[in-house]
């Protein structure tokens, strides 16, 4: 059933292909974005590896290839509450997919300005959306993108459930009771902290105002193109490769394409959860199709395909490409090694058969990296932001701790 | 040992007597306040029951009676980060006591403006303080006022511990493990939610930046004067009696003094924790004297004397004064009846022997209520803000559900 859907942050890496996919499914899509991500690119002196088109060109191209219309409103969800409210009251969308947050952990740790911006933008924006829904008495389904990072990277010895955890407590008479609680969060960066805070906002507004909310705890997204973005050059999705926004796998693929060693921070023993961008858009469509009932608690779903250690990921790319692997000091404050075993039962039950890293699609992303390699500014690849003063000093000074060269030569200048 | 102490929110109900007490103990006290509480009084068309002096008059009077100097900076902690940072960098206080938040649950639920203000002011302000401490590399001890409300009003069948709860979980092999977690919060208003959010901010900054933080989960404060505020008429503390800021016990005492029935919301079966203002200032002094070590987790202490059901509190005041008790619809979304059994072991171990409601001090507060009764605007006593649309309709229409008149006539026109 076609719905009117607002996509907040619909110009971003996940939001753009999601907007196209929802439009392709027949929904009426309205993108809301303040283009802050493009502004931050300018601020950092970088750009997407892929040559993304301006918003209007993107929308025109989509109309051209699909016959469908996506509308766009330039609006800051965190700063312009009045216009957000007016727009919701007037348009009364049935679904709001909310991607509109500052989403890079390293950027959120750069300094006071970025820490404060991340908190004010993410918490302020999410709270504005919730307040506005109550203020205009709109029973829309809010689908929010959270992160696996709220779980504090697991390692608790059990499979991480979807948002809620049943624990045992003992009452004063010593009798044991089960208690279902929000999974205790231990976020590892200001960015991740804002997602833990979002959870509290959602808990309150679902309980007090019976808002219908789905919170998707997403893993690290890799890849760039989807069925829809492939249909026209102007629809191409963004691809972040630099030290602040470039997530680990996409960064490895760019490094490999350039014949640069893959840079692993710390021991590479950190385990992360991954998901291909094509599954992001599928999962969102599934979440949109399965809203919670009014009065339900927040529906929390883990949006991941698989978990892998960073060093194993590097090896995967190294095996494919022949790239060397370089071990650098870890700029993050985190356990050197951790396990991460995460349930994705909900989406699997809804029919998701996720793309895995070994399914051959790494080659496609590698091919895109190679195609646009001349757009890369190598100076921006290394991580420059550390979590603490001491780590910053180590990061600023140190060269590689160890470099492992592959035995077999690979593609794209690897092994140099 | 004398310390340099910043008191953020030092013009408020708890902050003012605390500033005086810390000054009396020999500390160098600097008050920082944006006087927003006085502005909100003007906005609501009310004022403190007690005729509080302007800030400069207060500080002059204190100098006159004590020979001590308290400095004052007019500064918005949430809005003026640059000046906050400059002040911290220049003055380098050893302790920061942080009262500077919007603290009324009903005010936080009035409408979108107040909800957003409360989140932006409280979360933004607290985050500014944390960010500034890191930015100027200042190892000050941050003492923050939290609330009992983060515990979601208990009723879990066991004594609520101080901030952390040990639960049992089972690993995938079925083996049980103890896990100490932040007590799972379930805040009941936007105001309380901001305190739950503060906890996440503190957890992160204590862990990442090794900030030394004490979070005091305070109960409802009653009373008005302390040893220091009694020393000069211009030192008198504020006393909120109206529907937004007037907390339950002080409101009952004003109602009794006016011969108005005590208004109980719902069944009065809600249990709340209470503390006299004189113990607030003592507890803060104890917290200041016992900072956590650098690298410690957040030190969470429950700052309460006792717990009581609201209807029992009403009976206490009714017995003392002969006031009738009126039952009205509950504007809050909460359980009609709840238990609340809270540990205050830490402060007891530090020597606190708290003032109890039955210790005779109610009479003093009642006397102040009677003395300033002509300053009361009766129209502002009833609670006007409900938590949801449906409750607002009930509140706007309904008269008393039931009125219970006392058997014995009491003081101050009671029973009318
Ligand atoms: N990319 C990932 O690997 C990943 C993983 C887990 C979760 N997520 C989450 O998914 C969401 C989208 O991530 P992304 O990778 O697409 O990020 P992105 O930065 O590419 O996209 C975010 C979009 O939101 C917009 N935006 C930000 N603040 C806004 C505001 N106040 N008002 C209006 N628009 C605003 C930006 O301009 C941008 O277009 C984020 O919430 C992120 O935390 C992403
Ligand atoms: N009064 C109670 O019963 C009670 C109970 C539990 C916890 N607390 C907590 O204790 C603290 C103090 O409470 P109170 O009763 O004294 O409240 P209050 O409103 O009387 O005092 C708060 C003071 O902070 C100032 N302030 C607020 N925002 C500010 C900002 N952004 N910048 C600078 N100053 C700002 C106000 O002007 C005011 O003087 C609050 O954090 C409150 O949540 C109070």
């Amino acid at each position: 059933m076609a719905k009117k859907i607002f996509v907040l942050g619909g110009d971003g890496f996940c939001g753009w292909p999601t907007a196209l996919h929802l439009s392709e499914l027949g929904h009426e899509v309205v993108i809301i974005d303040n283009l802050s991500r493009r502004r931050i690119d300018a601020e950092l002196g970088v750009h997407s590896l892929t040559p993304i088109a301006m918003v209007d060109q993107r929308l025109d191209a989509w109309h051209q290839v699909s016959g469908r219309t996506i509308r766009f409103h330039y609006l800051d969800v965190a700063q312009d509450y009045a216009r957000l409210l007016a727009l919701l009251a007037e348009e009364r969308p049935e679904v709001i997919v909310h991607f509109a947050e500052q989403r890079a952990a390293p950027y959120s740790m750069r300094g006071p300005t970025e820490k404060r911006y991340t908190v004010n933008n993410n918490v302020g924006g999410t709270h504005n959306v919730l307040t506005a829904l109550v203020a205009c008495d709109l029973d829309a389904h809010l689908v929010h993108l959270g992160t696996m990072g709220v779980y504090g990277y697991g390692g608790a010895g059990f499979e991480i459930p979807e948002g809620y955890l049943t624990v045992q407590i003992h009452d004063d008479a010593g009798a044991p009771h089960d208690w279902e609680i929000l999974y205790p969060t231990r976020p590892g960066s200001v960015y991740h902290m804002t997602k833990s805070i979002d959870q509290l906002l959602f808990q309150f507004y679902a309980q007090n105002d019976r808002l219908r909310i789905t919170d998707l705890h997403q893993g690290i997204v890799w890849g760039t193109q989807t069925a829809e973005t492939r249909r026209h050059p102007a629809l191409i999705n963004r691809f972040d490769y630099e030290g602040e926004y470039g997530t680990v796998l996409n960064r490895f693929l760019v490094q490999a394409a350039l014949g640069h060693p893959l840079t692993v921070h710390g021991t590479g023993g950190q385990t992360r959860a991954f998901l291909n961008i094509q599954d992001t858009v599928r999962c969102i469509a599934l979440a949109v199709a399965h809203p919670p009932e009014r009065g339900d608690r927040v529906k929390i779903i883990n949006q991941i395909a698989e978990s892998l250690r960073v060093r194993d990921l590097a090896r995967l790319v190294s095996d494919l490409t022949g790239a060397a692997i370089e071990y650098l000091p870890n700029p993050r404050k985190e356990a050197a090694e951790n396990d991460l075993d995460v349930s994705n039962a909900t989406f699997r039950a809804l029919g998701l058969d996720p793309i895995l890293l070994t399914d051959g699609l790494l080659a496609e992303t590698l091919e895109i990296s190679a195609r646009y390699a001349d757009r890369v500014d190598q100076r921006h690849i290394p991580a420059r932001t550390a979590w603490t003063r001491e780590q910053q000093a180590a990061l600023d000074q140190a060269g590689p701790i160890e470099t492992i060269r592959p035995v077999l030569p690979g593609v794209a200048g690897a092994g140099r």
Side-chain angles (χ1 to χ4, degrees), chain A:
Chain A
M1 210 191 60
K3 294 173 177 167
K4 186 193 272 195
I5 304 180
F6 274 20
V7 179
L8 313 182
D11 187 49
F13 170 57
C14 297
W16 173 243
T18 300
L20 295 184
H21 188 58
L22 294 173
S23 175
E24 180 63 19
L25 293 177
H27 297 295
E28 181 186 346
V29 175
V30 181
I31 288 177
I32 291 180
D33 205 298
N34 68 345
L35 308 185
S36 53
R37 184 63 196 83
R38 294 179 188 243
R39 178 189 56 68
I40 292 175
D41 265 354
E43 168 195 326
L44 298 175
V46 297
H47 55 209
S48 163
L49 176 72
T50 48
I52 52 174
M54 298 307 293
V55 183
D56 286 343
Q57 300 173 317
R58 286 180 147 188
L59 300 179
D60 285 351
W62 179 242
H63 185 72
Q64 199 185 311
V65 299
S66 72
R68 300 178 193 277
T69 301
I70 294 179
R71 284 180 292 138
F72 170 67
H73 290 280
Y74 178 88
L75 175 74
D76 190 319
V77 171
Q79 298 297 325
D80 197 350
Y81 175 76
R83 271 191 65 219
L84 174 68
L85 177 65
L87 211 56
L88 287 173
E90 192 188 309
E91 296 253 5
R92 303 194 81 76
E94 294 153 277
V95 182
I96 299 171
V97 187
H98 175 22
F99 296 99
E101 298 191 287
Q102 191 300 99
R103 71 110 177 114
Y107 186 79
S108 80
M109 297 301 290
R110 267 166 82 91
T113 305
E114 293 83 1
K115 287 175 190 177
R116 298 178 55 245
Y117 167 71
T118 302
V119 167
N120 296 340
N121 186 63
N122 295 7
V123 179
T126 299
H127 189 240
N128 277 351
V129 173
L130 295 165
T131 319
L133 285 174
V134 176
C136 66
D137 204 9
L138 179 61
D139 176 28
H141 173 207
L142 179 64
V143 178
H144 172 261
L145 275 289
T147 159
M148 284 302 305
V150 301
Y151 295 122
Y153 297 118
F158 55 90
E159 190 189 58
I160 292 180
E162 301 196 86
Y164 300 93
L165 179 70
T166 301
V167 298
Q168 279 77 47
I169 46 167
H170 290 83
D171 65 24
D172 285 343
H177 296 273
D178 276 0
W179 192 14
E180 198 174 47
I181 61 176
L182 261 180
Y183 194 98
T185 67
R186 192 165 268 277
S189 75
V190 167
Y191 157 67
H192 291 105
M193 185 178 72
T194 64
K195 299 287 185 174
S196 297
I197 293 174
D198 285 342
Q199 286 204 105
L200 294 181
L201 300 178
F202 296 145
Q203 179 191 52
F204 177 74
Y205 281 89
Q207 170 187 302
N208 194 72
D209 300 288
R210 303 167 69 234
L211 296 189
R212 293 184 293 130
I213 302 170
T214 299
D215 199 6
L216 302 171
H217 288 186
Q218 191 175 236
I220 298 174
V221 182
W222 62 277
T224 184
Q225 296 282 59
T226 62
E228 288 83 17
T229 64
R230 277 188 207 102
R231 287 169 67 180
H232 190 288
L235 297 177
I236 197 164
N237 196 17
R238 68 177 297 127
F239 187 129
D240 298 308
Y241 68 90
E242 32 60 54
E244 305 286 292
Y245 279 86
T247 50
V248 55
L249 179 52
N250 280 2
R251 184 163 45 81
F252 284 168
L253 293 168
V254 168
Q255 291 176 320
L258 289 170
H260 190 284
L262 315 180
T263 48
V264 171
H265 296 291
T267 67
Q270 314 92 315
T271 308
R272 300 280 196 263
F274 295 92
L275 184 79
N276 184 273
I277 184 71
Q278 307 185 59
D279 286 327
T280 293
V281 307
R282 276 182 208 132
C283 286
I284 306 274
L286 286 171
V288 166
H290 295 90
E293 296 291 319
R294 194 132 204 209
D296 282 0
R297 69 177 188 186
V298 179
K299 188 169 180 173
I300 303 179
I301 312 179
N302 294 337
Q303 187 163 315
I304 66 138
E306 63 197 309
S307 293
L308 217 73
R309 283 185 200 272
V310 171
R311 63 170 167 257
D312 295 330
L313 195 68
R315 256 177 235 142
L316 206 71
V317 177
S318 172
D319 287 349
L320 189 71
T321 62
I325 302 174
E326 208 172 84
Y327 286 83
L328 296 171
N330 192 352
R332 303 187 183 219
K333 195 152 173 176
E334 62 183 353
E337 308 265 328
N338 73 289
D339 289 322
L340 183 64
D341 179 14
V342 194
S343 169
N344 62 359
T346 302
F347 277 132
R348 285 205 177 261
L350 293 177
L352 184 77
D353 181 17
I355 295 166
L356 301 179
L357 289 160
T358 46
D359 282 346
L361 286 181
L362 277 180
E364 188 202 42
T365 313
L366 186 66
E367 190 274 317
I368 290 180
S369 308
R371 189 178 340 146
Y372 297 108
D374 59 333
R375 286 174 52 90
V376 170
D377 183 339
Q378 295 235 22
R379 290 166 300 183
H380 286 287
I381 297 183
R384 296 234 177 274
T385 300
W387 265 229
T388 66
R389 229 167 264 276
E390 298 72 39
Q391 289 173 299
Q392 192 69 57
L395 192 70
D396 291 347
Q397 289 166 13
I401 297 165
E402 193 189 351
T403 304
I404 295 170
R405 294 185 190 281
V407 182
L408 297 170
V411 298
R416 268 190 267 151

